[in-house]
Amino acid sequence: GNEINVLAERMTHDLTRGQVLDWMKQVYSSFKNHSAGKLVTNGIGTGYDLHFDVRDIAQTSDYLSPHSYPYFHGTSELDPWYGQRTTYSPNFIVSWCEMMGKPVVLQEIGCSEAWLPASKIGAYIRLNYFSTWADGAAGFLWWSSHNIDPDYRVKCKDMHLPYSNDCFAHASVYSECIKTVNELGLFWDDCLPVCYIVVPEDMSFNAAMHKLITAYSLAKQAHFDVKLCYEGTPVPSDASAVFVPGLKLSGEAKEVIQKYLTEGGLV
């Protein structure tokens, strides 16, 4: 499916999260029963809501394929396009999906010239490509359809129309990024200390991003490898520290954090 959560927002329904999960399980099993060797994923439009929870998506996908647009996340209202919370919003959604322990392909990220000047978009591609690669994304796809003129028509005699000039420039930047990553390699150990930011279990993606993105950005600036974990789940063994950014922890989460502290962890 592609951005089925966006469609759900525009429908009148009384669906529960459990019903949505049952439906996704049926779709997933149907694909697998008829073509077991193929990978199945579920593209979610700019976040995971309380109907399409990332934990449910992970049960019904072989890898996770989030979409990330600061305009739709709302982080572009918090900061300019080159502000910390805006530029780290794609990293945040990658970290959100990586909580599930499956590969993450950033399936859609892009920028319209109505949001950012054309002269800045190449730099924006580089910034997002390299930062999400460094955060462990298994793939990155740049989505530039917002820049296509609505009157654009392909003419076979002359494919290089005026509207395609910027797209060619962006493709060149994208190609340079791929070449650099291939030279650096894909299998390397991150030397940064790891910190985990605690996420409330009953909070939607967009609400969590707006609540936690400042702490996430500050931890990045402090040269941590920043990851997320749901409250109430054991603190992963690679943690150097755990951040609890202004949240009222549940009783179960307090017990988890206390155990981590007793074993010598930092909060």
Side-chain angles (χ1 to χ4, degrees):
N2 184 61
E3 298 200 351
I4 49 180
N5 60 315
V6 175
L7 292 175
E9 292 172 0
R10 286 157 173 76
M11 295 167 59
T12 301
H13 59 76
D14 296 315
L15 290 175
T16 66
R17 174 183 162 187
Q19 289 173 312
V20 172
L21 175 58
D22 287 342
W23 173 72
M24 288 193 293
K25 284 180 176 178
Q26 291 178 47
V27 174
Y28 181 77
S29 62
S30 295
F31 278 120
K32 287 299 184 182
N33 289 338
H34 289 86
S35 191
K38 304 298 184 186
L39 297 178
V40 178
T41 192
N42 197 329
I44 289 295
T46 317
Y48 298 81
D49 57 29
L50 296 179
H51 282 104
F52 292 92
D53 189 281
V54 69
R55 290 161 287 192
D56 300 339
I57 294 286
Q59 291 184 55
T60 54
S61 295
D62 296 315
Y63 65 95
L64 296 170
S65 49
H67 302 175
S68 183
Y69 297 96
Y71 179 85
F72 297 117
H73 285 323
T75 49
S76 59
E77 296 177 5
L78 302 174
D79 280 336
W81 276 86
Y82 276 84
Q84 292 291 336
R85 292 173 293 185
T86 299
T87 54
Y88 280 132
S89 61
N91 303 76
F92 189 94
I93 202 169
V94 169
S95 297
W96 183 268
C97 294
E98 286 177 339
M99 284 195 291
M100 299 299 101
K102 290 191 172 183
V104 180
V105 173
L106 190 55
Q107 187 192 34
E108 278 193 32
I109 182 170
C111 191
S112 166
E113 290 173 17
W115 305 341
L116 194 68
S119 61
K120 301 285 188 182
I121 292 179
Y124 196 72
I125 294 173
R126 290 188 190 94
L127 173 67
N128 285 282
Y129 189 108
F130 289 125
S131 65
T132 52
W133 164 71
D135 267 331
F140 179 98
L141 300 173
W142 179 257
W143 182 256
S144 59
S145 68
H146 300 90
N147 295 320
I148 294 176
D149 188 283
D151 296 323
Y152 183 90
R153 295 292 181 273
V154 173
K155 298 178 181 178
C156 294
K157 288 196 299 183
D158 181 13
M159 295 293 288
H160 190 77
L161 300 180
Y163 302 124
S164 65
N165 288 335
D166 288 332
C167 290
F168 276 114
H170 300 160
S172 177
V173 171
Y174 198 93
S175 178
E176 292 169 9
C177 293
I178 294 170
K179 181 181 178 181
T180 301
V181 165
N182 284 339
E183 290 173 352
L184 291 172
L186 298 174
F187 304 102
W188 42 272
D189 294 324
D190 199 326
C191 297
L192 296 176
V194 177
C195 78
Y196 283 86
I197 295 180
V198 173
V199 178
E201 292 186 336
D202 60 350
M203 189 175 282
S204 70
F205 169 80
N206 275 342
M209 170 175 272
H210 282 254
K211 177 76 174 177
L212 305 175
I213 190 66
T214 299
Y216 187 91
S217 300
L218 290 172
K220 284 279 192 183
Q221 288 181 342
H223 302 294
F224 278 103
D225 180 8
V226 189
K227 301 181 181 182
L228 305 175
C229 64
Y230 278 115
E231 64 173 346
T233 59
V235 176
S237 60
D238 61 347
S240 299
V242 171
F243 291 179
V244 187
L247 304 175
K248 184 177 181 181
L249 293 174
S250 66
E252 183 183 4
K254 288 179 181 177
E255 292 178 6
V256 169
I257 296 296
Q258 183 60 56
K259 181 176 184 295
Y260 174 69
L261 284 169
T262 302
E263 294 172 350
L266 299 174
V267 173

